[in-house]
């Protein structure tokens, strides 16, 4: 998708570049806040020790043995760095578990009398007990139209063999919709028992994605098969293919992995559960090592149709046997621990005004639960950033840091469905938050596949830094990537077109950034390594071979620079609402104007008025900014259709309120 007219694109980005030279703040007292002091970062040797210890834990699923060890380690490190006020939020949790790769004692599959290599199990899919279930197999081929697949009634009492669609069909018209609607009366299940209650989310998604189009009602968004447009890209020569082209497996496997790990989720709910199937295996388009320990993601809610996962090599025989209606035996011996010791927690590094009405806070968020040394190393990322700022005297820290260690990412239904959220349930802990940075998946190495050979390429996995469409915030990310020499990094702002006028990568893992929307629309970013490019995706012995401590340190330096910009800078000037006004004007279609023939001139006039507003914001003249918002509103109302003008008016109203907040803060010597 492109903008309608080169003039619109040039107009949009000339407006953006006109404000990119904003200086975030006057020099802070401590130079470590204006320039990253690398001597204060966690060292490579320390990180290697942390990860070697982490490697002994195995998976860190919520309330499991590895998770308990990771939580204990994090709290010990927090205490060592003088972090205070660790506040725990314990919640009831029923932990579903079985043996973990490479221990396959809890799961196996025998097809027509021959034992088959099983890559992994389907989490939260019930249990067969130790003896398993034996039944005839039936093939359910997702690459065939639904009319050519067996009806659900034919699956009853069978072991269903699911043949997933090939990666090379993703983003093309060859990708077949599932075509089976969800049951009218879905199973009664909310979150994870016994903690069932409605989930009180009332706010918009972390960021809308400009230009995103669904292929069909039950198909993924088009174009999730390769790299997208961007604001800035370091090492552009190392990103394969053109914008929107399918990323070749020989240089990048993450897009394929994500596609294959997630294909089975709607099949579980729409096909397996209503059918009465006694078990299932899903055959993924993955080589053996790429599939080993694979994890369905997002984590499905409990289905009670035991499921195993196979790679394409082992799965070839099973597909043939299923087409012939041969028998199989499936074992998934899983267990449940009632009232497992689950919790999430926050910790505080006090700023100079901590405990007073003037205190403002920067929030950092991550998840601690997960299957691998890369997937769940966000806790180490936050520990590394907190370690840096703990070395700056409290009297010289302009804002407090609040670290939120979430642990609902891999519980059934994922974090957006699970009914325990400290930000919602304990708002008093976050009332002073005025910005934030989420972080996860640091230190990843890129993986690729050639035939059935799955290997590290020698490059860093992509680091995405997602943010909102404020020109000042966008410029801060590009500057941090360049300053810290972060390789293969992408500055990504999904709400607006990239530098080539194309859609940017949608925000992945947005749950840790949505809090900033909920808390008032504050600025911030999400720094994430690609998922799951780091290989194997689940825990694997010697998993640290996939970890690059030097890359982790560079990511830490970028995070420190961005957190510093929130600690020392004008967070109101960086707020997303200003950028949304600009984007809504610049990307408005001609049909969004009352007189489409005058759209080019009208758009130019509105952008000029916005530039005047934002010039006042950059200068810190919020009374002037507030005054100039009114003629911008009147011009939008006059020129644009009611629906489009209303959308812009809503953002103008947010900016008006923020201008008043800025004036109040200045009166209190907070800003």
């Amino acid at each position: 998708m492109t903008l309608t007219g080169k003039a619109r694109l040039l107009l949009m980005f000339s407006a953006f570049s006109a404000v990119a030279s904003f200086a975030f703040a006057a020099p802070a007292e401590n130079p470590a806040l204006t320039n990253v002091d690398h001597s204060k970062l966690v060292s490579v040797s320390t990180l290697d020790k942390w990860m070697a210890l982490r490697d002994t834990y195995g998976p860190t699923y919520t309330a499991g043995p590895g998770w308990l060890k990771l939580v204990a380690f994090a709290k010990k490190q927090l205490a060592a760095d003088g972090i205070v006020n660790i506040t725990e939020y314990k919640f009831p949790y029923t932990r579903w578990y079985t043996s973990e790769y490479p221990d396959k004692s809890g799961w196996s599959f025998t097809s027509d009398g021959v034992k088959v290599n099983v890559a992994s199990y389907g989490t939260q899919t019930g249990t067969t007990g130790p003896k398993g279930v034996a039944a005839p197999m039936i093939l359910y081929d997702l690459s065939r139209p639904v009319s050519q697949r067996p009806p659900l009634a034919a699956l009853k009492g069978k072991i269903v063999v699911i043949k997933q669609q090939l990666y090379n069909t993703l983003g093309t018209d060859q990708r077949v919709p599932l075509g089976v609607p969800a049951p009218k009366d879905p199973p009664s299940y909310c979150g994870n028992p016994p903690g069932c209650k409605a989930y009180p989310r009332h706010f918009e998604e972390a960021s809308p994605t400009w230009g995103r189009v669904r292929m069909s009602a039950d198909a993924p968004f088009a174009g999730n098969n390769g790299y997208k447009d961007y604001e800035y890209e370091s090492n552009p020569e190392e990103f394969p293919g053109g914008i929107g082209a399918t990323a070749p497996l020989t240089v990048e496997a993450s897009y394929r992995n994500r596609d294959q790990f997630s294909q089975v989720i709607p099949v579980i709910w729409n096909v397996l559960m209503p059918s009465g199937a006694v078990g299932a295996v899903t055959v993924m388009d993955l080589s053996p090592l790429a599939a080993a320990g694979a994890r369905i993601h997002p984590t499905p809610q409990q289905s009670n149709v035991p499921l195993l996962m196979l790679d394409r090599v082992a799965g070839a025989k099973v597909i043939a046997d299923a087409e012939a209606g041969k028998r199989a035996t499936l074992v998934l011996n899983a267990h449940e621990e009632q009232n497992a010791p689950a919790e999430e927690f926050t910790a505080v590094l006090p700023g100079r005004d901590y405990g007073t009405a003037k205190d403002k806070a920067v929030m950092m968020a991550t998840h601690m639960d997960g299957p691998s040394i890369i997937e769940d190393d966000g806790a180490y990322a936050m520990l590394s950033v907190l370690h840096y700022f703990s070395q700056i005297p409290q009297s010289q820290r302009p804002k407090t840091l609040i670290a939120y260690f979430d642990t609902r990412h891999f519980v059934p239904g994922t974090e957006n469905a699970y009914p325990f959220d400290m930000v919602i349930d304990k708002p008093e802990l976050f009332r002073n938050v005025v910005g934030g940075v989420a972080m996860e998946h640091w230190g990843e190495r890129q993986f690729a596949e050639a035939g059935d050979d799955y290997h590290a390429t020698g490059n860093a996995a992509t680091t995405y830094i997602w943010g909102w469409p404020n020109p000042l915030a966008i410029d801060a990310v590009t500057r941090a990537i360049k300053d810290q020499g972060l390789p293969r990094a992408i500055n990504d702002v999904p709400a607006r077109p990239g530098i080539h006028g194309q859609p940017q990568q949608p925000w992945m893992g947005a749950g840790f950034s949505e809090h900033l929307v909920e808390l008032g629309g504050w600025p911030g970013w999400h720094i994430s390594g690609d998922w799951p490019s780091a290989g194997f995706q689940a825990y694997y012995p010697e998993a640290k071979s996939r970890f690059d401590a030097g890359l982790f340190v560079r990511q830490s330096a970028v995070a420190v620079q961005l957190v510093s910009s929130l600690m020392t800078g004008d967070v109101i000037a960086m707020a997303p609402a200003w950028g949304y006004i600009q984007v809504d004007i610049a990307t408005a279609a001609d049909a969004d104007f009352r007189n489409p023939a005058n759209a080019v001139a009208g758009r130019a006039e509105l952008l000029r008025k916005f530039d005047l507003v934002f010039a006042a914001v950059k200068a810190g003249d919020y009374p002037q900014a507030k005054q100039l918002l009114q003629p911008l509103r009147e011009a939008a109302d006059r020129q644009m259709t009611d629906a489009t003008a209303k959308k812009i008016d809503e953002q103008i109203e947010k900016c008006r309120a923020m201008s008043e907040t800025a004036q109040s803060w200045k009166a209190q010597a907070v800003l």
Side-chain angles (χ1 to χ4, degrees), residues 346-535:
T346 58
V348 174
L349 182 65
R352 65 188 175 205
D353 296 320
Y354 184 67
T356 74
K358 293 173 60 176
D359 186 41
K360 298 293 180 282
V362 175
M363 176 181 176
M364 300 189 301
T366 192
H367 66 97
M368 296 187 70
D369 55 334
S372 73
I373 195 171
I374 298 296
E375 170 63 50
D376 49 20
D377 73 356
Y380 297 99
M382 291 221 296
L383 293 173
S384 70
V385 176
L386 288 168
H387 176 74
Y388 181 94
F389 287 103
S390 71
Q391 298 169 76
I392 298 172
Q394 179 180 350
S395 62
Q396 297 176 26
R397 294 195 291 260
K399 293 184 178 71
T400 292
L401 287 179
I402 298 175
Y404 178 19
F405 293 86
D406 198 340
T407 188
R408 299 162 299 128
H409 197 46
F410 285 86
V411 300
T414 74
E415 70 276 3
N416 280 342
Y418 200 72
F420 298 100
D421 185 333
M422 291 186 78
V423 175
I424 292 174
D425 294 347
K426 295 184 177 294
E428 68 277 7
L429 298 174
F430 305 95
R431 63 181 181 274
N432 295 333
V433 169
V434 295
V437 179
M439 51 196 78
E440 57 180 335
H441 311 168
W442 286 11
E444 296 180 82
R445 290 175 174 164
Q446 182 191 50
F447 271 69
E449 187 172 285
D452 289 328
D453 175 35
Y454 192 65
H455 60 275
T457 66
N459 292 332
T462 307
T463 299
Y464 287 101
I465 305 182
W466 282 284
W468 286 278
N470 181 303
L472 310 179
I474 294 169
D475 183 60
V477 172
T478 297
R479 186 166 57 249
I481 291 171
K482 292 179 177 179
D483 288 350
Q484 305 309 325
L486 184 59
R488 301 193 75 252
I490 295 178
N491 183 358
D492 195 10
V493 181
R496 75 181 205 176
I499 64 172
H500 300 97
Q502 300 291 320
Q504 301 193 46
Q505 175 65 49
W507 204 306
M508 294 187 286
F512 313 111
S513 303
E514 285 175 334
H515 302 304
L516 296 175
V517 180
E518 177 185 37
L519 293 168
W522 295 109
W525 304 276
H526 182 175
I527 306 171
S528 175
D530 203 352
W531 177 90
S533 182

Side-chain angles (χ1 to χ4, degrees), residues 161-281:
V161 175
I162 304 157
K163 182 182 178 183
Q164 296 190 182
Q165 299 192 64
L166 300 178
Y167 166 62
N168 62 18
T169 67
L170 180 62
T172 75
D173 56 10
Q174 299 176 42
R175 181 55 63 100
V176 179
L178 178 59
V180 180
K184 293 182 180 179
D185 298 312
S188 177
Y189 186 84
C190 58
N192 186 73
C196 290
K197 64 178 181 179
Y199 195 73
R201 287 284 190 196
H202 300 299
F203 57 93
E204 61 191 284
E205 60 181 323
S207 175
T209 301
W210 178 86
R212 184 169 62 171
V213 178
R214 278 193 181 274
M215 296 175 64
S216 68
D218 60 355
F221 288 110
N224 284 343
N225 57 330
Y227 290 100
K228 314 298 182 296
D229 211 343
Y230 51 84
E231 301 292 334
Y232 173 76
E233 192 176 74
S234 64
N235 307 102
E237 72 282 357
E238 293 183 5
F239 290 95
I243 293 173
T246 298
L249 286 173
T250 52
V251 289
E252 176 61 78
S254 63
Y255 291 94
R256 189 279 310 275
N257 293 2
R258 279 193 295 273
D259 168 53
Q260 294 296 308
F261 292 164
S262 63
Q263 272 194 42
V264 75
I265 291 176
V267 180
I268 290 173
W269 284 95
N270 298 14
V271 176
L272 297 180
M273 292 187 69
S275 72
V278 298
V281 296

Side-chain angles (χ1 to χ4, degrees), residues 147 168 183 278 326 481 532 538 576 653 671:
S147 61
N168 62 18
V278 298
K326 295 183 178 180
I481 291 171
E653 180 58 29
L671 184 63

